[in-house]
Structures are given as structure tokens and as C-alpha cells.
Amino acid sequence: MNLVWKLLRQHISIPQFAGFFFANFVGMLIILLGIQFYTDIQSVYSSEDSFMKEDYLIINKDVSTLGTLAGSSSTFSQSEIDDLREQPFAERVGMFTASAYDVRATFDVEGFVRFSTDMFFESVPDDFVDVKTADWTFAEGDTKIPIILPRNYLDLYNFGFAQSRNMPQLSEGILGAMKLGVTVSGAGRYDVFEGRIVGFSNRLNTILVPQQFMDWANRTYATDATREYTRVIVQVGNPTDENIARYLTANGYVTDQDKLDSSKTTFILRIIVAIVMGVGLVICLLAFYILMLSVWLLVQKNSGKLENLLLIGYSPARVSHPYQLLTAGLNALVLLLALATMLLIRNTYLNMFTSFFPDMETPAIWSSVIVGAGLFIVVSLLGIVAVRSKIMSIWRHKN
């Protein structure tokens, strides 16, 4: 073995092996960094304060000028709702129920503000309501109606309507203390209830009442109303699933554009990561070619001496062993250095991520390690087989 190593060292080309080492290192680093960056970005999507975390979609049909003139319906049929429930991305589906009766509300805070307005009510199943309160109940005979307002309605009033009319701005606490008279009429009936604002929703952009009240009121004040749904709320398991945008587009459904940003962003990110990893893989293949060319030339330069070693009794496996160790050793060194560099770069961008998303969970690096180890094994095995094949060809030629 020492004799073979001495022969090997005589014709080693440092520039050739340095070129392989650098090219393979760059390629391996690109691949590992691409995989790890994509894995880390996925944890940003799922963090509690993620800018892409939105696991509820509110869907309605597209209202176009042509559709309006043609009289096409904007309601969801039962078959369309059933089809939506069967989609892999949909975990739960609920329907918005709209009021089919007249509603007028009077806001009154004595000595502070008083005004009245026509309004509407909607309801969704209680599981979809993001305001948790024990007051969210209604039974027939109750004179109080719990109401949840969208938080952006309060912002519109305070920073738009109130300023333009020189009216006082209202806080959530003041609105909760307001006397809210709600007049409900229809089907020849007229009743007054006391409305109570029990919370403000960030998820649902509508004036909500409990589903129990909505079902009772529609039966009582709109006896001839048919049950139709124009909006659907869907809880999705993975908001970054690009199949969501494809499904909505194919069926002519629309939702708030920002709700689809995560799926579009992750789709683009996957394309970018795939391209970057493809470039890294090409670099690795070129580096492997450089390595094989270097080893091939090294074996060729030593072919005469290797023939003599084979003739005096050295086996092809023993003669191949130093070249195979050189190939595997260089690949192992590349893998370790690429992993170390990837961790340094990762720590840099994770510091930036955690400053924006404190609740971000830092994933493990097993995916990168497994891919790197897989590439090391494949490239090393190919190199070992190629060296052994070359030595065997010399041995067969002499025999």
C-alpha cells in the first residue's frame, strides 16, 4: 500500500484537484442551502405571527358586468358546496347566512353620540367565529342580540366618517357600552331588540349575529325566503397550497387577493429553489467530471508502474484502493465544509427572520444533511466504480 501511495503522489496535479474541490464545494453548498432555506421559509409560513398565516378563506363567485346583464346567479348550489368540501385543501366548510329581513340600528350614548342607520346581519357556524365569548348565544324569546363587528369598520368610522363629520371617535370599550337599539321587521312583524356588541373580528368582514338568531329570524320575519348562500368560508390545512388558487380560478370563484399571496409566493419560491438547486446539481456533475478526469489522468500516468504492481501479485482491489480513498476523502471533505458554510449562512438569515417573527420555530437541518449524505454516497460510489473499472481494464490488458 505504501508503494502505491508513493506512486500516486508523484503525479498528483494540485490545480486539477483544487478545481474539482472548489467546483464541487460550490455545487454542494448551493444545493444544501437551497433545501435548508426552503425548509426554514416554510416555518415562517406557519409561525403564529407569520405575514402569510391565513388558514381561512372567504369565497364568493365572481360578479362581472356580463354575468349581471345575463342574470347569472351568484349563489352556491349544494353540488358546488359538496365539491368544495371534497377538495384536499379544505378541512372545514361553512356557509354565510344573510338576513332576509329589514334591520335598522340606533346607536346611543347619552351626551356623547346618537345616530341610526340601516344595516344587515350575517351569520356563520360558531366554529368559524374568531371572537371567543360566553355571550355568543341566543334563544327564542331573548330580547338581546349579541353582535360582532369587523374591526376595520371601527377604523373606517374613526379615521374616515367621524373626522369628516366632526363626530367623536369611538373606542372598542365605548362601543361595547353603547345602547344599541335594533329594529327587525318583515312578514308583517315589527320588533325591537337590544343589541350588544360583544367583540370585534379580524377574520370576518361582516356584521355577525349568532346562527341561532339568524335561523329563527329568517323563519319569523321572512317566511317566504329561500335558503341561498352567496359566500362560503373555508378552513384550509395549508394556506401555501398552490392548488387553492388553481381551484378558485377554474371554478370562477374569488377571494381577497391577499389571502392567496401565500400560495402564490410559495409556488414562485419552489420554482426559484428548483432552479437554484438545478444549477447546483449541474455544478456538482461538472465537478465530478473534473474529478474523474483528474483520477483518470493520474491512473494513466502511472499505468506502466501499475501494470508492474499487478504483475508482481498486487490485486486490482489493492491497487485501486488508494485512488478510491482519494476520491471518497475529497468528497467527504467537500460535504463537511459545505455543511459548515451552510450553517454559517443559515445563522445569518435566521437572525433576520427571528427579528421579524419572534414565534418562528427553527426547523432541524436533517433534510439538508440527508441530501448531502446522499450526494456524497452517489458521487463516491460512481468514483469508486470508475477507478476500479480503469484498473481492471489495465489488469485484463496485461493478461
Side-chain angles (χ1 to χ4, degrees):
M1 181 65 69
N2 290 334
L3 180 59
V4 180
W5 275 114
K6 289 178 181 179
L7 292 174
L8 177 64
R9 289 199 301 267
Q10 289 179 4
H11 298 287
I12 288 180
S13 174
I14 299 300
Q16 287 179 349
F17 283 100
F20 153 76
F21 185 87
F22 179 75
N24 198 17
F25 165 73
V26 172
M28 183 74 76
L29 178 61
I30 290 175
I31 293 175
L32 299 185
L33 192 59
I35 293 173
Q36 193 59 50
F37 182 77
Y38 181 77
T39 303
D40 293 334
I41 282 292
Q42 290 299 315
S43 67
V44 174
Y45 292 166
S46 59
S47 65
E48 289 299 323
D49 53 356
S50 169
F51 67 101
M52 292 182 177
K53 186 171 180 63
E54 180 55 66
D55 54 359
Y56 288 89
L57 298 177
I58 297 175
I59 300 172
N60 56 272
K61 290 189 175 182
D62 188 20
V63 180
S64 63
T65 303
L66 182 60
T68 302
L69 295 176
S72 61
S73 175
S74 61
T75 61
F76 288 88
S77 64
Q78 188 60 47
S79 62
E80 291 172 327
I81 295 174
D82 292 339
D83 180 66
L84 186 56
R85 283 197 175 104
E86 293 173 358
Q87 298 307 308
F89 58 78
E91 293 190 347
R92 288 188 301 157
V93 176
M95 279 66 70
F96 281 80
T97 305
S99 56
Y101 43 84
D102 295 328
V103 180
R104 187 167 184 83
T106 301
F107 294 84
D108 185 12
V109 175
E110 187 173 352
F112 191 62
V113 63
R114 175 183 173 86
F115 61 91
S116 61
T117 182
D118 290 326
M119 62 188 304
F120 66 95
F121 288 148
E122 280 189 302
S123 65
V124 294
D126 292 347
D127 291 343
F128 292 94
V129 178
D130 56 338
V131 178
K132 305 302 180 184
T133 172
D135 297 326
W136 192 245
T137 59
F138 180 84
E140 185 175 350
D142 289 351
T143 59
K144 295 183 179 180
I145 307 173
I147 298 172
I148 293 177
L149 295 178
R151 185 162 275 109
N152 61 351
Y153 276 27
L154 182 59
D155 294 337
L156 288 173
Y157 169 81
N158 283 332
F159 305 113
F161 185 80
Q163 288 188 348
S164 64
R165 301 296 182 89
N166 292 322
M167 297 179 67
Q169 293 183 332
L170 304 176
S171 66
E172 294 182 10
I174 292 175
L175 274 179
M178 270 188 172
K179 294 180 180 179
L180 177 59
V182 179
T183 302
V184 179
S185 59
R189 292 192 56 170
Y190 175 95
D191 292 300
V192 178
F193 296 86
E194 179 184 341
R196 182 183 177 189
I197 299 174
V198 297
F200 295 84
S201 174
N202 291 313
R203 178 186 303 158
L204 303 171
N205 190 23
T206 188
I207 303 172
L208 284 177
V209 292
Q211 188 69 53
Q212 302 96 315
F213 172 80
M214 182 62 71
D215 293 339
W216 171 80
N218 274 339
R219 291 195 306 268
T220 304
Y221 302 100
T223 54
D224 58 343
T226 58
R227 198 176 186 87
E228 294 182 332
Y229 304 108
T230 57
R231 293 201 297 169
V232 177
I233 182 170
V234 182
Q235 181 182 2
V236 295
N238 178 17
T240 67
D241 188 350
E242 61 266 22
N243 291 320
I244 298 175
R246 292 198 189 108
Y247 179 82
L248 297 183
T249 302
N251 289 275
Y253 301 156
V254 295
T255 187
D256 290 343
Q257 190 63 32
D258 60 337
K259 302 297 191 298
L260 297 180
D261 283 348
S262 58
S263 62
K264 293 179 179 179
T265 301
T266 193
F267 179 69
I268 295 173
L269 180 62
R270 286 174 182 171
I271 294 176
I272 294 174
V273 170
I275 293 173
V276 171
M277 290 178 61
V279 172
L281 186 59
V282 169
I283 295 175
C284 283
L285 291 175
L286 293 175
F288 175 73
Y289 176 77
I290 294 174
L291 174 64
M292 286 297 95
L293 183 61
S294 300
V295 174
W296 210 267
L297 291 174
L298 188 59
V299 172
Q300 193 65 36
K301 290 178 181 179
N302 292 323
S303 60
K305 296 175 182 178
L306 293 175
E307 289 174 2
N308 293 331
L309 289 174
L310 292 170
L311 287 173
I312 64 175
Y314 280 86
S315 66
R318 191 174 178 184
V319 173
S320 304
H321 193 58
Y323 297 93
Q324 294 169 339
L325 282 179
L326 176 64
T327 301
L330 285 172
N331 287 327
L333 188 59
V334 165
L335 174 61
L336 294 176
L337 187 59
L339 282 172
T341 307
M342 182 270 290
L343 289 175
L344 290 175
I345 297 175
R346 181 176 185 249
N347 288 336
T348 301
Y349 69 70
L350 278 183
N351 289 334
M352 293 187 292
F353 284 174
T354 53
S355 64
F356 290 105
F357 311 106
D359 293 332
M360 170 186 172
E361 295 182 2
T362 304
I365 63 170
W366 289 115
S367 56
S368 301
V369 173
I370 291 173
V371 172
L375 285 174
F376 162 72
I377 293 172
V378 170
V379 173
S380 297
L381 285 177
L382 289 175
I384 289 171
V385 170
V387 170
R388 180 65 180 271
S389 176
K390 179 62 176 175
I391 299 297
M392 287 298 295
S393 68
I394 296 175
W395 183 73
R396 283 193 296 267
H397 177 71
K398 296 307 296 180
N399 292 322

